Coordinates of all heavy atoms in Angstrom, one line a residue:
L816 N -53.6 1.2 68.9 CA -52.7 0.1 68.9 C -53.2 -0.9 67.9 O -54.5 -1.1 67.8 CB -52.6 -0.5 70.3 CG -51.9 0.3 71.5 CD1 -52.0 -0.4 72.8 CD2 -50.5 0.8 71.1
L817 N -52.3 -1.6 67.4 CA -52.6 -2.8 66.5 C -52.2 -4.0 67.1 O -51.0 -4.2 67.6 CB -51.9 -2.6 65.1 CG -52.1 -3.8 64.2 CD1 -53.5 -4.0 63.7 CD2 -51.2 -3.5 62.9
F818 N -53.1 -5.0 67.2 CA -52.9 -6.3 67.9 C -52.5 -7.3 66.9 O -53.2 -7.5 65.9 CB -54.0 -6.8 68.7 CG -53.9 -8.1 69.2 CD1 -52.8 -8.3 70.2 CD2 -54.6 -9.2 68.9 CE1 -52.6 -9.5 70.9 CE2 -54.3 -10.5 69.6 CZ -53.4 -10.6 70.5
D819 N -51.3 -7.9 67.0 CA -50.7 -8.9 66.2 C -51.0 -10.2 66.8 O -50.3 -10.6 67.7 CB -49.3 -8.7 65.9 CG -48.7 -9.7 65.0 OD1 -49.2 -10.8 64.8 OD2 -47.5 -9.4 64.5
A820 N -52.1 -10.9 66.4 CA -52.5 -12.1 67.0 C -51.5 -13.2 66.9 O -51.4 -14.1 67.8 CB -53.9 -12.6 66.5
Q821 N -50.8 -13.3 65.7 CA -49.8 -14.4 65.5 C -48.6 -14.3 66.6 O -48.2 -15.2 67.1 CB -49.3 -14.2 64.1 CG -50.2 -14.6 63.1 CD -49.7 -14.7 61.7 OE1 -48.7 -14.1 61.4 NE2 -50.3 -15.5 60.8
R822 N -48.3 -13.1 66.9 CA -47.1 -12.9 67.9 C -47.6 -12.6 69.3 O -46.9 -12.5 70.2 CB -46.2 -11.7 67.4 CG -45.6 -11.9 66.1 CD -44.7 -10.6 65.6 NE -43.7 -10.4 66.7 CZ -43.3 -9.1 67.1 NH1 -44.0 -8.1 66.4 NH2 -42.5 -8.9 68.0
D823 N -49.0 -12.4 69.3 CA -49.5 -12.0 70.7 C -48.9 -10.7 71.2 O -48.5 -10.6 72.4 CB -49.4 -13.1 71.7 CG -50.4 -13.0 72.9 OD1 -51.3 -12.2 72.8 OD2 -49.9 -13.4 74.0
I824 N -48.9 -9.7 70.4 CA -48.2 -8.4 70.6 C -49.0 -7.3 70.2 O -49.6 -7.3 69.1 CB -46.7 -8.3 70.1 CG1 -45.9 -9.3 70.7 CG2 -46.2 -6.9 70.0 CD1 -45.4 -8.8 72.1
F825 N -49.1 -6.2 70.9 CA -49.6 -4.9 70.4 C -48.4 -4.0 70.0 O -47.4 -4.0 70.6 CB -50.4 -4.1 71.5 CG -51.7 -4.8 72.0 CD1 -51.7 -5.7 73.0 CD2 -52.9 -4.4 71.3 CE1 -52.9 -6.3 73.3 CE2 -54.1 -5.0 71.7 CZ -54.1 -5.9 72.8
I826 N -48.7 -3.3 68.9 CA -47.6 -2.3 68.4 C -48.3 -0.9 68.4 O -49.4 -0.8 68.1 CB -47.0 -2.7 67.1 CG1 -48.1 -2.9 66.0 CG2 -46.3 -4.0 67.2 CD1 -47.6 -3.2 64.6
G827 N -47.4 0.1 68.5 CA -47.8 1.5 68.4 C -46.7 2.4 68.6 O -45.5 2.0 68.6
H828 N -46.9 3.7 68.6 CA -45.9 4.7 68.8 C -46.5 5.9 69.5 O -47.7 6.1 69.4 CB -45.2 5.1 67.5 CG -46.1 5.7 66.4 ND1 -46.6 7.0 66.6 CD2 -46.7 5.2 65.4 CE1 -47.4 7.3 65.7 NE2 -47.6 6.2 64.8
V829 N -45.6 6.6 70.2 CA -46.0 7.8 70.9 C -45.0 8.9 70.7 O -43.8 8.6 70.2 CB -46.1 7.5 72.4 CG1 -47.3 6.6 72.7 CG2 -44.9 7.1 73.0
A830 N -45.2 10.1 71.0 CA -44.2 11.2 71.0 C -43.1 10.8 72.0 O -43.3 10.2 73.0 CB -44.8 12.5 71.4
K831 N -41.9 11.2 71.7 CA -40.7 10.7 72.5 C -40.8 11.3 73.9 O -40.2 10.8 74.8 CB -39.5 11.2 71.8 CG -39.1 12.6 71.7 CD -37.8 12.9 71.1 CE -37.4 14.3 71.0 NZ -36.2 14.5 70.3
Y832 N -41.5 12.4 74.1 CA -41.6 12.9 75.5 C -42.8 12.4 76.3 O -43.0 12.7 77.5 CB -41.8 14.5 75.5 CG -43.0 15.0 74.6 CD1 -44.3 14.9 75.1 CD2 -42.8 15.4 73.3 CE1 -45.4 15.4 74.4 CE2 -43.8 15.8 72.6 CZ -45.1 15.8 73.1 OH -46.2 16.2 72.3
N833 N -43.5 11.3 75.7 CA -44.6 10.7 76.5 C -44.0 9.9 77.6 O -42.9 9.2 77.4 CB -45.3 9.8 75.4 CG -46.5 9.2 76.1 OD1 -46.5 8.4 77.0 ND2 -47.7 9.5 75.5
P834 N -44.5 9.9 78.8 CA -43.9 9.1 79.9 C -43.8 7.6 79.5 O -42.9 6.9 80.2 CB -45.0 9.2 81.1 CG -45.7 10.6 80.7 CD -45.6 10.6 79.2
L835 N -44.5 7.1 78.6 CA -44.3 5.6 78.2 C -43.0 5.4 77.7 O -42.4 4.2 77.8 CB -45.3 5.3 77.2 CG -46.7 4.7 77.6 CD1 -47.7 4.6 76.4 CD2 -46.5 3.4 78.2
S836 N -42.3 6.4 77.2 CA -41.0 6.2 76.6 C -39.9 5.9 77.7 O -38.8 5.4 77.3 CB -40.4 7.5 75.9 OG -41.4 7.8 74.8
L837 N -40.3 6.0 79.0 CA -39.4 5.8 80.1 C -39.7 4.4 80.8 O -39.1 4.1 81.8 CB -39.4 6.9 81.0 CG -39.1 8.3 80.5 CD1 -39.3 9.4 81.6 CD2 -37.7 8.3 79.9
L838 N -40.7 3.7 80.3 CA -41.1 2.5 80.9 C -40.7 1.2 80.3 O -41.5 0.2 80.5 CB -42.7 2.6 81.0 CG -43.3 3.7 81.8 CD1 -44.7 3.7 81.9 CD2 -42.7 3.8 83.2
D839 N -39.6 1.2 79.7 CA -39.2 -0.1 79.0 C -39.0 -1.1 80.1 O -38.4 -1.1 81.1 CB -37.8 0.2 78.3 CG -37.3 -1.0 77.4 OD1 -38.2 -1.7 77.0 OD2 -36.2 -1.2 77.3
G840 N -39.6 -2.3 79.8 CA -39.6 -3.4 80.7 C -40.6 -3.5 81.9 O -40.7 -4.3 82.6
Q841 N -41.3 -2.3 82.0 CA -42.3 -2.2 83.0 C -43.8 -2.6 82.6 O -44.0 -2.7 81.4 CB -42.3 -0.8 83.6 CG -41.0 -0.3 84.2 CD -41.2 1.0 85.0 OE1 -42.1 1.2 85.8 NE2 -40.2 1.8 84.7
S842 N -44.6 -2.8 83.6 CA -46.0 -3.2 83.2 C -47.0 -2.1 83.3 O -46.8 -1.2 84.1 CB -46.4 -4.3 84.3 OG -47.7 -4.8 84.0
V843 N -47.9 -2.0 82.3 CA -49.0 -1.1 82.3 C -50.3 -1.8 82.0 O -50.3 -2.9 81.6 CB -48.7 0.0 81.1 CG1 -47.4 0.8 81.4 CG2 -48.7 -0.7 79.8

């Protein structure tokens, strides 16, 4: 993951079948 300190956000990507793809709006 890349941390964008100005926006206080991490960005990244995963394969579309990764369970993370189903967690929009949830906490991890």
Side-chain angles (χ1 to χ4, degrees):
L816 296 176
L817 174 61
F818 180 59
D819 183 339
Q821 290 186 337
R822 297 178 59 215
D823 194 27
I824 288 286
F825 290 92
I826 59 174
H828 61 75
V829 295
K831 67 179 182 180
Y832 56 79
N833 189 299
L835 268 174
S836 301
L837 305 175
L838 298 181
D839 191 28
Q841 297 190 46
S842 180
V843 298

